[in-house]
Amino acid sequence: MQGLPSGYQCLNSSQPWFCFWTLHSLYLLGKEIDCEVENKVINKIASCQNKGGGYGGSPSDISHIISSFSAICSLVIVGTQKAYESIDRNTMIQWLLQMKNSDGSFTVHQGGEIDLRGSYCAIVVAFLLDILTPDLVENVADFVSRCQNYDGGFGPYPGVESHGSYSFCAIAVLDILNKTESIDLDSFTGYVTSRQMSLEGGFSGRINKLVDGCYSYWVGATFIILHRALGLPPTSDFLFDRMALQKYIILCCQKNNVGGLRDKPGKSPDYYHTCYCLSGLSLAQNGVVNLLSNSSQDLDSTATLGYKLFNNENLIFGSQKNAVPEINPVFNISPDKLNNWVKYFK
Amino acid sequence: MQDHDSGDEQDWISYALRADFKDLVPIFIDEEPGSICPIAYSEKFSVTMAYLRALLKTNEISKRAFELVGEAILLNPANYTACPEQELSWIESIAEDNPKNYQLWHQRQKIVAQLVETGKINMYNTKDNIEKSGFELDAYITSVTNNTIVAKEIIFLNSQIDLDSKNFHAWSYRQYIIKTFDLYDYELGFAELKISQDIRNNSAWNQKYFILTKGDSSFRIDDLKVLHKEISYSLKMISMAPNNESAWVFIIGLLRIHKPELLYTTFYDSLTALFEKNTIKSTIETSRFYWVYLYKYYNNLLTINLADANEMRVEWSENANYAVDFLANNLDPIRKNYYMYLKKKIPAIN
Ligand SMILES: [Zn+2]
């Protein structure tokens, strides 16, 4: 948080992303953030909010659905009343509806591309701001289902090749909307389980592509959402080899004498991979218990927030010092912070 | 993440010193030193962006605006506000440097879409001036389209995919072009060429499926000749590389969606017929996909033939169990949890 080298200037349009990656990585490393940093984050993100609704990647950029997603998630991590009050929920829902297309898809920004990242970010933002209205949700699951391919995975857009990250976006949206049964879960399970590499233990993002540390989260979280979608017993093990994944993250994604985590040996660590390798590590170290059903109308007991992960020392590879705290697989945010956040809706 | 600019910093003349930009008041955005995640901007970057903001404010359309926007995009490819609507060849030069950039590929698609919507695309119906890059399928494109824009896009995409055969954005944009201009016949040749160059190129296999279904997820193939041809094609590829996930998921997915009744009949017969021909059985038996298929084959027999004699059912059940146990314990232990999940789904026998 002390400043970034100028090589990162190509990411000038991704300022809320940087806030999320660093804040969430600090949480996973057990570091508290102080009031001063909290206020700076709130101000930085507020400066990216546009009058017409939503957040841009920088104060001079038009609103982008992915910037809005990372902005809101960062504010949930900060979690204060001030963070919540900095958001204009009325213009946000107006803007999200403008980005929505009649087939249930979302455009990522005015005149921009349409893909499943748009669906995921829009639905998460709306959920976290309690503005998941019927107009916003209409046909969303249909568009998502149309992105499922013959191999069971999901691409960004109907017809386009399946990809681990878009498969995550798909199942996460359906989980929030309580519609995971609307896809072919059998072929999906085949696709997702095939992403773990026999030798490396980490996940690949696409069929016949190489392993990459960031999929530890994107694919790892997919397994946990799938676990519930398949109705597997909460206390049973996930459908991937958690020790093999942890070994890949701990042994291959770190570099001697350099901080941060990386894609694979031979690459340099960066903020993005640090955040998602740590998030994947958290998923692999924790089990799920007590998955709540969606019977209650209270937001804090909806199914999506009902993932209760537990830390079990037997699930941790290597020293207990490797333990990282738990996350909700759908939002990649601490369950406690999510529960704290939803109290603002009441 | 790539480093942009840097090298040519010395040759660059600041807009602040240029006569043709003298009338503009640059808009700098304060990054106070204590702000969160401050980025150490180079002078070139902050000055260029400041002049860009000034130009965008007045919506000026001019030669200098064009030049400035071009420079800004080179400095900051993720800055979508700076993306103008411009001619394709200009974007081409940037896309080559940043092949994974979403905005630039999208911009390209938007320009073509606009030409189609306004009917202006027809102004390019001529065979003149199509420059070919020497790629073997480039020459052939002029026999399937007489539109220079379409031909040029295909030739550009051919060269991009030649550089990176699994470029996700290139393949995705390619689907848009193929669908919009109905170039499925041409594309089948391209996809199969790419598969022959690398049978593990999953983007090319996906493209083959896209072509067969004409990019319509609700389309169903009912021509058995087409499906039989694909069974032979895939089995040929499987016998060359039995562990190639692309070939297995292609044929199994194709049959499951379009003619599920062939999956455990014709396909099973063709697969086992391969074994009789030569020594291929032992190599195919090293494939985890083969064993998962066998499991599904026996599981299917158990599910559909509930009334069959018990000794048949016992044998099918043993075979299904053997397949998943072999996978979990010997061939593919990393997916043990998945195979144990499959094992639980084997129907009980009385
Ligand atoms: Zn990565």
Short mmCIF file of all heavy atoms in Angstrom, two decimals, chain A residues 3-4 6-8 10 12-13 40 57 61-62 64 111-113 150 159 161 166 193-197 206 208 237-238 240, chain B residues 1 3-4 34 38 40-41 76 78-81 102 106 110 166 175 200 202-203 206 209 244-246 256 288 334-335 337:
data_model
loop_
_atom_site.label_atom_id
_atom_site.label_comp_id
_atom_site.label_asym_id
_atom_site.label_seq_id
_atom_site.Cartn_x
_atom_site.Cartn_y
_atom_site.Cartn_z
N GLY A 3 2.87 2.33 -2.29
CA GLY A 3 3.19 2.89 -3.61
C GLY A 3 3.61 1.79 -4.54
O GLY A 3 4.21 0.81 -4.14
N LEU A 4 3.27 1.97 -5.81
CA LEU A 4 3.55 0.93 -6.80
C LEU A 4 4.59 1.42 -7.79
O LEU A 4 4.62 2.60 -8.12
CB LEU A 4 2.26 0.60 -7.57
CG LEU A 4 1.16 -0.06 -6.75
CD1 LEU A 4 -0.15 0.01 -7.53
CD2 LEU A 4 1.52 -1.48 -6.44
N SER A 6 6.40 2.13 -11.43
CA SER A 6 5.73 2.68 -12.60
C SER A 6 5.39 1.62 -13.64
O SER A 6 4.61 1.87 -14.54
CB SER A 6 6.55 3.80 -13.22
OG SER A 6 7.71 3.25 -13.79
N GLY A 7 5.94 0.42 -13.54
CA GLY A 7 5.58 -0.64 -14.46
C GLY A 7 4.11 -1.00 -14.39
O GLY A 7 3.55 -1.57 -15.31
N TYR A 8 3.46 -0.61 -13.29
CA TYR A 8 2.05 -0.93 -13.12
C TYR A 8 1.14 0.11 -13.76
O TYR A 8 -0.07 0.04 -13.63
CB TYR A 8 1.72 -1.05 -11.64
CG TYR A 8 2.06 -2.41 -11.07
CD1 TYR A 8 3.25 -2.63 -10.40
CD2 TYR A 8 1.19 -3.48 -11.25
CE1 TYR A 8 3.56 -3.88 -9.89
CE2 TYR A 8 1.50 -4.74 -10.75
CZ TYR A 8 2.69 -4.93 -10.07
OH TYR A 8 2.99 -6.16 -9.58
N CYS A 10 0.14 0.54 -16.61
CA CYS A 10 -0.84 0.04 -17.56
C CYS A 10 -2.11 -0.38 -16.83
O CYS A 10 -3.13 -0.63 -17.44
CB CYS A 10 -0.28 -1.11 -18.38
SG CYS A 10 0.14 -2.54 -17.40
N ASN A 12 -3.53 1.60 -14.60
CA ASN A 12 -4.09 2.81 -14.05
C ASN A 12 -5.61 2.76 -14.04
O ASN A 12 -6.25 3.35 -13.18
CB ASN A 12 -3.62 3.99 -14.89
CG ASN A 12 -4.16 5.31 -14.39
OD1 ASN A 12 -4.22 5.54 -13.19
ND2 ASN A 12 -4.59 6.15 -15.31
N SER A 13 -6.19 2.04 -14.99
CA SER A 13 -7.64 1.95 -15.06
C SER A 13 -8.19 0.83 -14.19
O SER A 13 -9.30 0.39 -14.39
CB SER A 13 -8.08 1.73 -16.51
OG SER A 13 -7.79 2.88 -17.26
N LYS A 40 -8.63 6.10 3.60
CA LYS A 40 -8.03 6.33 2.28
C LYS A 40 -8.72 5.47 1.22
O LYS A 40 -8.95 5.91 0.10
CB LYS A 40 -6.54 6.00 2.31
CG LYS A 40 -5.69 7.09 2.93
CD LYS A 40 -4.24 6.69 2.87
CE LYS A 40 -3.38 7.59 3.75
NZ LYS A 40 -2.04 7.01 3.92
N GLY A 57 -12.60 2.69 -13.40
CA GLY A 57 -11.32 2.18 -12.94
C GLY A 57 -10.42 3.26 -12.37
O GLY A 57 -9.43 2.97 -11.70
N ASP A 61 -12.49 7.71 -15.48
CA ASP A 61 -13.04 6.68 -16.36
C ASP A 61 -14.55 6.52 -16.21
O ASP A 61 -15.08 6.72 -15.12
CB ASP A 61 -12.38 5.33 -16.05
CG ASP A 61 -10.96 5.26 -16.59
OD1 ASP A 61 -10.70 5.87 -17.64
OD2 ASP A 61 -10.11 4.61 -15.96
N ILE A 62 -15.19 6.11 -17.30
CA ILE A 62 -16.62 5.82 -17.21
C ILE A 62 -16.82 4.54 -16.38
O ILE A 62 -15.88 3.77 -16.19
CB ILE A 62 -17.26 5.64 -18.62
CG1 ILE A 62 -16.58 4.50 -19.38
CG2 ILE A 62 -17.19 6.94 -19.40
CD1 ILE A 62 -17.35 4.04 -20.60
N HIS A 64 -17.51 0.93 -15.08
CA HIS A 64 -17.22 -0.40 -15.61
C HIS A 64 -17.73 -1.40 -14.58
O HIS A 64 -17.57 -1.19 -13.38
CB HIS A 64 -15.71 -0.54 -15.82
CG HIS A 64 -15.31 -1.71 -16.67
ND1 HIS A 64 -15.60 -3.00 -16.34
CD2 HIS A 64 -14.64 -1.76 -17.86
CE1 HIS A 64 -15.13 -3.82 -17.28
NE2 HIS A 64 -14.54 -3.09 -18.22
N GLY A 111 -21.21 0.57 -24.29
CA GLY A 111 -20.56 0.27 -25.57
C GLY A 111 -19.52 -0.83 -25.48
O GLY A 111 -18.79 -1.08 -26.44
N GLY A 112 -19.43 -1.50 -24.34
CA GLY A 112 -18.39 -2.51 -24.16
C GLY A 112 -18.83 -3.90 -24.53
O GLY A 112 -19.91 -4.11 -25.09
N GLU A 113 -17.98 -4.86 -24.18
CA GLU A 113 -18.25 -6.25 -24.54
C GLU A 113 -19.25 -6.90 -23.58
O GLU A 113 -19.46 -6.42 -22.47
CB GLU A 113 -16.94 -7.05 -24.60
CG GLU A 113 -16.20 -7.21 -23.30
CD GLU A 113 -15.21 -6.07 -22.99
OE1 GLU A 113 -15.36 -4.96 -23.55
OE2 GLU A 113 -14.33 -6.29 -22.14
N TYR A 150 -20.32 -28.14 -24.79
CA TYR A 150 -20.41 -29.60 -24.90
C TYR A 150 -19.51 -30.32 -23.90
O TYR A 150 -19.78 -31.45 -23.52
CB TYR A 150 -20.06 -30.04 -26.33
CG TYR A 150 -18.65 -29.69 -26.76
CD1 TYR A 150 -17.59 -30.56 -26.47
CD2 TYR A 150 -18.35 -28.50 -27.41
CE1 TYR A 150 -16.29 -30.24 -26.83
CE2 TYR A 150 -17.06 -28.17 -27.78
CZ TYR A 150 -16.04 -29.05 -27.48
OH TYR A 150 -14.74 -28.72 -27.84
N GLY A 159 -21.00 -20.36 -27.26
CA GLY A 159 -20.18 -20.85 -28.37
C GLY A 159 -18.68 -20.75 -28.14
O GLY A 159 -17.91 -21.46 -28.76
N GLU A 161 -15.05 -21.08 -26.29
CA GLU A 161 -14.38 -22.16 -25.54
C GLU A 161 -14.54 -22.05 -24.01
O GLU A 161 -14.47 -20.96 -23.44
CB GLU A 161 -12.88 -22.12 -25.89
CG GLU A 161 -12.10 -23.28 -25.31
CD GLU A 161 -10.59 -23.15 -25.58
OE1 GLU A 161 -10.15 -22.18 -26.24
OE2 GLU A 161 -9.86 -24.04 -25.11
N TYR A 166 -14.58 -18.46 -16.27
CA TYR A 166 -15.96 -18.22 -16.68
C TYR A 166 -16.87 -19.30 -16.10
O TYR A 166 -18.04 -19.04 -15.82
CB TYR A 166 -16.08 -18.17 -18.21
CG TYR A 166 -15.35 -16.98 -18.78
CD1 TYR A 166 -14.12 -17.10 -19.41
CD2 TYR A 166 -15.90 -15.70 -18.66
CE1 TYR A 166 -13.45 -16.01 -19.91
CE2 TYR A 166 -15.24 -14.59 -19.16
CZ TYR A 166 -14.00 -14.75 -19.79
OH TYR A 166 -13.35 -13.65 -20.27
N THR A 193 -13.51 -31.25 -12.50
CA THR A 193 -12.55 -32.15 -11.87
C THR A 193 -11.33 -32.37 -12.77
O THR A 193 -10.24 -32.64 -12.29
CB THR A 193 -13.19 -33.52 -11.52
OG1 THR A 193 -13.85 -34.02 -12.67
CG2 THR A 193 -14.19 -33.37 -10.39
N SER A 194 -11.51 -32.23 -14.07
CA SER A 194 -10.39 -32.39 -15.00
C SER A 194 -9.39 -31.24 -14.94
O SER A 194 -8.32 -31.33 -15.54
CB SER A 194 -10.90 -32.50 -16.44
OG SER A 194 -11.10 -33.85 -16.75
N ARG A 195 -9.72 -30.15 -14.28
CA ARG A 195 -8.82 -29.00 -14.27
C ARG A 195 -7.60 -29.21 -13.35
O ARG A 195 -6.62 -28.49 -13.45
CB ARG A 195 -9.55 -27.70 -13.86
CG ARG A 195 -10.73 -27.32 -14.76
CD ARG A 195 -10.36 -26.66 -16.08
NE ARG A 195 -9.41 -27.39 -16.88
CZ ARG A 195 -9.71 -28.48 -17.60
NH1 ARG A 195 -10.92 -28.98 -17.62
NH2 ARG A 195 -8.79 -29.08 -18.31
N GLN A 196 -7.67 -30.16 -12.43
CA GLN A 196 -6.50 -30.34 -11.56
C GLN A 196 -5.44 -31.14 -12.31
O GLN A 196 -5.71 -32.18 -12.91
CB GLN A 196 -6.90 -31.07 -10.27
CG GLN A 196 -5.77 -31.02 -9.23
CD GLN A 196 -6.23 -31.29 -7.81
OE1 GLN A 196 -7.24 -31.95 -7.59
NE2 GLN A 196 -5.48 -30.77 -6.84
N MET A 197 -4.20 -30.63 -12.28
CA MET A 197 -3.12 -31.24 -13.04
C MET A 197 -2.51 -32.40 -12.24
O MET A 197 -2.16 -32.23 -11.07
CB MET A 197 -2.02 -30.21 -13.32
CG MET A 197 -2.51 -28.94 -13.99
SD MET A 197 -3.05 -29.17 -15.68
CE MET A 197 -1.48 -29.06 -16.55
N ARG A 206 -7.86 -23.97 -18.82
CA ARG A 206 -8.53 -24.48 -20.01
C ARG A 206 -7.98 -25.87 -20.32
O ARG A 206 -6.88 -26.21 -19.89
CB ARG A 206 -8.23 -23.58 -21.22
CG ARG A 206 -9.02 -22.31 -21.28
CD ARG A 206 -8.87 -21.69 -22.67
NE ARG A 206 -7.79 -20.72 -22.75
CZ ARG A 206 -7.28 -20.27 -23.91
NH1 ARG A 206 -7.72 -20.75 -25.07
NH2 ARG A 206 -6.31 -19.39 -23.90
N ASN A 208 -6.03 -28.72 -21.89
CA ASN A 208 -4.70 -28.76 -22.52
C ASN A 208 -3.91 -27.46 -22.41
O ASN A 208 -3.09 -27.15 -23.29
CB ASN A 208 -4.80 -29.19 -23.99
CG ASN A 208 -5.09 -30.68 -24.12
OD1 ASN A 208 -4.62 -31.48 -23.32
ND2 ASN A 208 -5.86 -31.06 -25.13
N ASP A 237 -15.38 -34.61 1.90
CA ASP A 237 -14.29 -33.88 1.26
C ASP A 237 -14.73 -33.34 -0.11
O ASP A 237 -15.60 -33.90 -0.76
CB ASP A 237 -13.09 -34.83 1.08
CG ASP A 237 -11.78 -34.08 0.98
OD1 ASP A 237 -11.80 -32.82 1.04
OD2 ASP A 237 -10.73 -34.73 0.85
N PHE A 238 -14.12 -32.24 -0.54
CA PHE A 238 -14.41 -31.68 -1.86
C PHE A 238 -13.91 -32.64 -2.94
O PHE A 238 -13.11 -33.53 -2.67
CB PHE A 238 -13.72 -30.33 -2.02
CG PHE A 238 -14.11 -29.31 -0.99
CD1 PHE A 238 -13.16 -28.48 -0.42
CD2 PHE A 238 -15.44 -29.19 -0.59
CE1 PHE A 238 -13.52 -27.54 0.54
CE2 PHE A 238 -15.80 -28.25 0.38
CZ PHE A 238 -14.84 -27.43 0.94
N PHE A 240 -11.73 -32.35 -5.14
CA PHE A 240 -10.36 -32.18 -5.64
C PHE A 240 -9.38 -32.60 -4.55
O PHE A 240 -9.78 -32.83 -3.41
CB PHE A 240 -10.10 -30.75 -6.11
CG PHE A 240 -10.06 -29.69 -5.04
CD1 PHE A 240 -8.85 -29.26 -4.49
CD2 PHE A 240 -11.22 -29.10 -4.58
CE1 PHE A 240 -8.81 -28.27 -3.51
CE2 PHE A 240 -11.20 -28.11 -3.60
CZ PHE A 240 -9.99 -27.70 -3.07
N MET B 1 1.19 -9.13 -17.38
CA MET B 1 1.38 -7.69 -17.30
C MET B 1 2.59 -7.27 -18.13
O MET B 1 3.64 -7.88 -18.03
CB MET B 1 1.61 -7.31 -15.85
CG MET B 1 0.77 -6.17 -15.41
SD MET B 1 0.82 -6.09 -13.65
CE MET B 1 -0.27 -7.42 -13.23
N ASP B 3 5.23 -4.22 -19.78
CA ASP B 3 5.73 -2.85 -19.64
C ASP B 3 5.51 -2.12 -20.95
O ASP B 3 5.97 -2.56 -21.98
CB ASP B 3 7.24 -2.88 -19.35
CG ASP B 3 7.49 -2.57 -17.90
OD1 ASP B 3 6.83 -1.66 -17.39
OD2 ASP B 3 8.35 -3.25 -17.31
N HIS B 4 4.79 -1.02 -20.88
CA HIS B 4 4.58 -0.25 -22.10
C HIS B 4 5.49 0.96 -22.04
O HIS B 4 6.15 1.19 -21.06
CB HIS B 4 3.12 0.15 -22.22
CG HIS B 4 2.24 -1.05 -22.15
ND1 HIS B 4 1.99 -1.85 -23.23
CD2 HIS B 4 1.63 -1.62 -21.10
CE1 HIS B 4 1.24 -2.86 -22.85
NE2 HIS B 4 1.00 -2.74 -21.56
N GLY B 34 -0.13 10.69 -0.07
CA GLY B 34 -0.56 9.71 0.93
C GLY B 34 -1.68 8.81 0.44
O GLY B 34 -2.17 7.99 1.20
N PRO B 38 -0.77 4.62 -4.51
CA PRO B 38 -0.36 5.60 -5.51
C PRO B 38 0.55 4.95 -6.54
O PRO B 38 1.33 4.07 -6.20
CB PRO B 38 0.40 6.66 -4.70
CG PRO B 38 0.89 5.92 -3.50
CD PRO B 38 -0.12 4.87 -3.21
N ALA B 40 3.51 5.43 -9.32
CA ALA B 40 4.56 6.38 -9.73
C ALA B 40 4.49 6.57 -11.24
O ALA B 40 5.04 5.79 -11.99
CB ALA B 40 5.93 5.83 -9.32
N TYR B 41 3.71 7.55 -11.69
CA TYR B 41 3.54 7.76 -13.12
C TYR B 41 4.80 8.33 -13.74
O TYR B 41 5.47 9.17 -13.15
CB TYR B 41 2.41 8.76 -13.38
CG TYR B 41 1.08 8.30 -12.90
CD1 TYR B 41 0.36 9.03 -11.96
CD2 TYR B 41 0.52 7.13 -13.41
CE1 TYR B 41 -0.87 8.62 -11.52
CE2 TYR B 41 -0.72 6.70 -12.98
CZ TYR B 41 -1.41 7.45 -12.03
OH TYR B 41 -2.62 7.03 -11.60
N ASN B 76 -1.54 2.97 -22.21
CA ASN B 76 -2.49 2.47 -21.22
C ASN B 76 -3.60 1.67 -21.89
O ASN B 76 -4.70 2.15 -22.04
CB ASN B 76 -3.08 3.68 -20.50
CG ASN B 76 -3.95 3.26 -19.34
OD1 ASN B 76 -4.04 2.08 -19.01
ND2 ASN B 76 -4.60 4.22 -18.74
N ALA B 78 -5.50 -0.59 -20.99
CA ALA B 78 -6.71 -0.93 -20.24
C ALA B 78 -7.61 0.28 -20.06
O ALA B 78 -8.65 0.21 -19.43
CB ALA B 78 -6.33 -1.52 -18.89
N ASN B 79 -7.20 1.43 -20.62
CA ASN B 79 -8.00 2.64 -20.42
C ASN B 79 -9.10 2.72 -21.46
O ASN B 79 -8.95 3.29 -22.52
CB ASN B 79 -7.10 3.87 -20.51
CG ASN B 79 -7.82 5.10 -20.03
OD1 ASN B 79 -9.04 5.19 -20.13
ND2 ASN B 79 -7.08 6.05 -19.50
N TYR B 80 -10.25 2.14 -21.12
CA TYR B 80 -11.31 2.03 -22.12
C TYR B 80 -11.90 3.36 -22.50
O TYR B 80 -12.45 3.51 -23.56
CB TYR B 80 -12.41 1.07 -21.61
CG TYR B 80 -12.66 1.21 -20.15
CD1 TYR B 80 -13.53 2.17 -19.68
CD2 TYR B 80 -11.98 0.41 -19.24
CE1 TYR B 80 -13.73 2.33 -18.33
CE2 TYR B 80 -12.18 0.57 -17.88
CZ TYR B 80 -13.06 1.53 -17.43
OH TYR B 80 -13.26 1.70 -16.09
N THR B 81 -11.81 4.36 -21.63
CA THR B 81 -12.37 5.66 -21.99
C THR B 81 -11.64 6.23 -23.20
O THR B 81 -12.19 6.98 -23.98
CB THR B 81 -12.26 6.66 -20.83
OG1 THR B 81 -12.71 6.00 -19.67
CG2 THR B 81 -13.09 7.87 -21.08
N TYR B 102 -8.81 -7.13 -23.90
CA TYR B 102 -10.24 -7.21 -24.20
C TYR B 102 -10.73 -6.07 -25.06
O TYR B 102 -11.41 -6.25 -26.05
CB TYR B 102 -11.06 -7.15 -22.90
CG TYR B 102 -11.10 -8.41 -22.11
CD1 TYR B 102 -10.17 -8.67 -21.11
CD2 TYR B 102 -12.09 -9.35 -22.34
CE1 TYR B 102 -10.23 -9.83 -20.37
CE2 TYR B 102 -12.16 -10.52 -21.60
CZ TYR B 102 -11.22 -10.75 -20.62
OH TYR B 102 -11.29 -11.89 -19.90
N HIS B 106 -12.58 -6.13 -28.79
CA HIS B 106 -13.99 -5.74 -28.81
C HIS B 106 -14.21 -4.58 -29.77
O HIS B 106 -15.19 -4.52 -30.50
CB HIS B 106 -14.44 -5.37 -27.41
CG HIS B 106 -15.83 -4.84 -27.41
ND1 HIS B 106 -16.91 -5.61 -27.75
CD2 HIS B 106 -16.32 -3.60 -27.16
CE1 HIS B 106 -18.00 -4.87 -27.70
NE2 HIS B 106 -17.68 -3.65 -27.34
N LYS B 110 -16.77 -4.19 -32.84
CA LYS B 110 -17.75 -3.11 -32.88
C LYS B 110 -17.73 -2.38 -34.23
O LYS B 110 -18.78 -2.02 -34.77
CB LYS B 110 -17.44 -2.12 -31.76
CG LYS B 110 -18.63 -1.80 -30.89
CD LYS B 110 -18.23 -1.09 -29.63
CE LYS B 110 -18.27 0.42 -29.79
NZ LYS B 110 -17.98 1.10 -28.51
N LYS B 166 -3.77 -20.59 -29.33
CA LYS B 166 -4.88 -20.69 -28.40
C LYS B 166 -5.35 -19.32 -27.91
O LYS B 166 -5.95 -19.21 -26.85
CB LYS B 166 -4.49 -21.58 -27.21
CG LYS B 166 -4.12 -23.01 -27.63
CD LYS B 166 -3.63 -23.85 -26.47
CE LYS B 166 -3.25 -25.25 -26.94
NZ LYS B 166 -2.72 -26.07 -25.84
N GLN B 175 -15.29 -16.25 -34.18
CA GLN B 175 -16.64 -16.82 -34.22
C GLN B 175 -17.65 -15.77 -34.69
O GLN B 175 -18.57 -16.07 -35.45
CB GLN B 175 -17.05 -17.35 -32.84
CG GLN B 175 -16.26 -18.58 -32.45
CD GLN B 175 -16.83 -19.30 -31.24
OE1 GLN B 175 -17.68 -18.77 -30.52
NE2 GLN B 175 -16.36 -20.51 -31.00
N ARG B 200 -3.88 -31.22 -29.66
CA ARG B 200 -4.33 -30.81 -28.32
C ARG B 200 -4.81 -29.36 -28.29
O ARG B 200 -5.06 -28.81 -27.22
CB ARG B 200 -3.21 -31.01 -27.30
CG ARG B 200 -2.92 -32.49 -27.05
CD ARG B 200 -1.86 -32.71 -25.99
NE ARG B 200 -1.66 -34.13 -25.76
CZ ARG B 200 -0.96 -34.92 -26.58
NH1 ARG B 200 -0.41 -34.44 -27.68
NH2 ARG B 200 -0.84 -36.21 -26.32
N ASN B 202 -7.30 -27.13 -27.98
CA ASN B 202 -8.72 -27.21 -27.62
C ASN B 202 -9.55 -26.09 -28.22
O ASN B 202 -10.74 -26.25 -28.47
CB ASN B 202 -8.88 -27.22 -26.09
CG ASN B 202 -10.24 -27.68 -25.67
OD1 ASN B 202 -10.65 -28.80 -26.00
ND2 ASN B 202 -10.98 -26.83 -24.98
N SER B 203 -8.92 -24.94 -28.48
CA SER B 203 -9.66 -23.84 -29.11
C SER B 203 -10.13 -24.28 -30.50
O SER B 203 -11.24 -23.93 -30.92
CB SER B 203 -8.76 -22.61 -29.26
OG SER B 203 -8.21 -22.25 -28.02
N ASN B 206 -13.02 -26.71 -30.14
CA ASN B 206 -14.23 -25.96 -29.82
C ASN B 206 -14.80 -25.30 -31.06
O ASN B 206 -16.01 -25.24 -31.26
CB ASN B 206 -13.93 -24.92 -28.74
CG ASN B 206 -15.17 -24.17 -28.31
OD1 ASN B 206 -16.02 -24.71 -27.62
ND2 ASN B 206 -15.32 -22.94 -28.77
N TYR B 209 -16.80 -27.69 -33.11
CA TYR B 209 -18.15 -27.86 -32.58
C TYR B 209 -19.03 -26.66 -32.96
O TYR B 209 -20.18 -26.81 -33.36
CB TYR B 209 -18.11 -28.01 -31.05
CG TYR B 209 -19.46 -28.35 -30.48
CD1 TYR B 209 -19.87 -29.67 -30.37
CD2 TYR B 209 -20.34 -27.35 -30.08
CE1 TYR B 209 -21.13 -29.99 -29.88
CE2 TYR B 209 -21.60 -27.65 -29.59
CZ TYR B 209 -21.99 -28.98 -29.50
OH TYR B 209 -23.24 -29.28 -29.02
N ASN B 244 -5.61 -37.35 -24.89
CA ASN B 244 -5.98 -36.00 -25.30
C ASN B 244 -7.42 -35.69 -24.89
O ASN B 244 -8.37 -36.13 -25.53
CB ASN B 244 -5.79 -35.88 -26.81
CG ASN B 244 -6.19 -34.51 -27.33
OD1 ASN B 244 -6.39 -33.57 -26.56
ND2 ASN B 244 -6.31 -34.40 -28.64
N GLU B 245 -7.55 -34.88 -23.86
CA GLU B 245 -8.89 -34.54 -23.33
C GLU B 245 -9.77 -33.90 -24.40
O GLU B 245 -10.98 -34.15 -24.46
CB GLU B 245 -8.73 -33.59 -22.14
CG GLU B 245 -10.02 -33.30 -21.40
CD GLU B 245 -9.83 -32.41 -20.16
OE1 GLU B 245 -8.67 -32.10 -19.82
OE2 GLU B 245 -10.84 -32.04 -19.56
N SER B 246 -9.18 -33.06 -25.26
CA SER B 246 -9.96 -32.34 -26.27
C SER B 246 -10.77 -33.28 -27.15
O SER B 246 -11.95 -33.05 -27.41
CB SER B 246 -9.03 -31.51 -27.17
OG SER B 246 -8.35 -30.55 -26.41
N ARG B 256 -23.65 -36.86 -26.80
CA ARG B 256 -24.57 -36.70 -25.67
C ARG B 256 -25.65 -35.66 -25.99
O ARG B 256 -26.83 -35.85 -25.68
CB ARG B 256 -23.79 -36.26 -24.42
CG ARG B 256 -24.63 -36.23 -23.15
CD ARG B 256 -23.89 -35.58 -21.97
NE ARG B 256 -23.72 -34.15 -22.16
CZ ARG B 256 -22.54 -33.54 -22.29
NH1 ARG B 256 -21.41 -34.22 -22.23
NH2 ARG B 256 -22.47 -32.23 -22.47
N ARG B 288 -7.15 -42.03 -18.99
CA ARG B 288 -8.18 -41.92 -17.95
C ARG B 288 -9.55 -41.68 -18.57
O ARG B 288 -10.58 -42.09 -18.01
CB ARG B 288 -7.83 -40.83 -16.94
CG ARG B 288 -7.80 -39.41 -17.46
CD ARG B 288 -7.46 -38.47 -16.30
NE ARG B 288 -7.18 -37.11 -16.71
CZ ARG B 288 -8.06 -36.11 -16.65
NH1 ARG B 288 -9.29 -36.33 -16.25
NH2 ARG B 288 -7.72 -34.90 -17.01
N ILE B 334 -5.07 -38.44 -8.38
CA ILE B 334 -5.34 -37.07 -7.97
C ILE B 334 -6.85 -36.78 -7.98
O ILE B 334 -7.33 -35.93 -7.23
CB ILE B 334 -4.56 -36.04 -8.83
CG1 ILE B 334 -4.50 -34.69 -8.09
CG2 ILE B 334 -5.19 -35.86 -10.22
CD1 ILE B 334 -3.29 -33.89 -8.34
N ARG B 335 -7.59 -37.51 -8.81
CA ARG B 335 -9.04 -37.32 -8.87
C ARG B 335 -9.79 -38.39 -8.08
O ARG B 335 -10.94 -38.68 -8.34
CB ARG B 335 -9.51 -37.32 -10.34
CG ARG B 335 -9.60 -35.92 -10.94
CD ARG B 335 -9.72 -35.93 -12.44
NE ARG B 335 -8.42 -36.16 -13.04
CZ ARG B 335 -7.50 -35.21 -13.21
NH1 ARG B 335 -7.78 -33.97 -12.89
NH2 ARG B 335 -6.32 -35.49 -13.71
N ASN B 337 -11.25 -38.44 -5.20
CA ASN B 337 -12.54 -38.05 -4.61
C ASN B 337 -13.66 -38.06 -5.64
O ASN B 337 -14.80 -38.42 -5.35
CB ASN B 337 -12.44 -36.65 -3.98
CG ASN B 337 -11.53 -36.64 -2.77
OD1 ASN B 337 -11.07 -37.69 -2.33
ND2 ASN B 337 -11.24 -35.45 -2.25
#
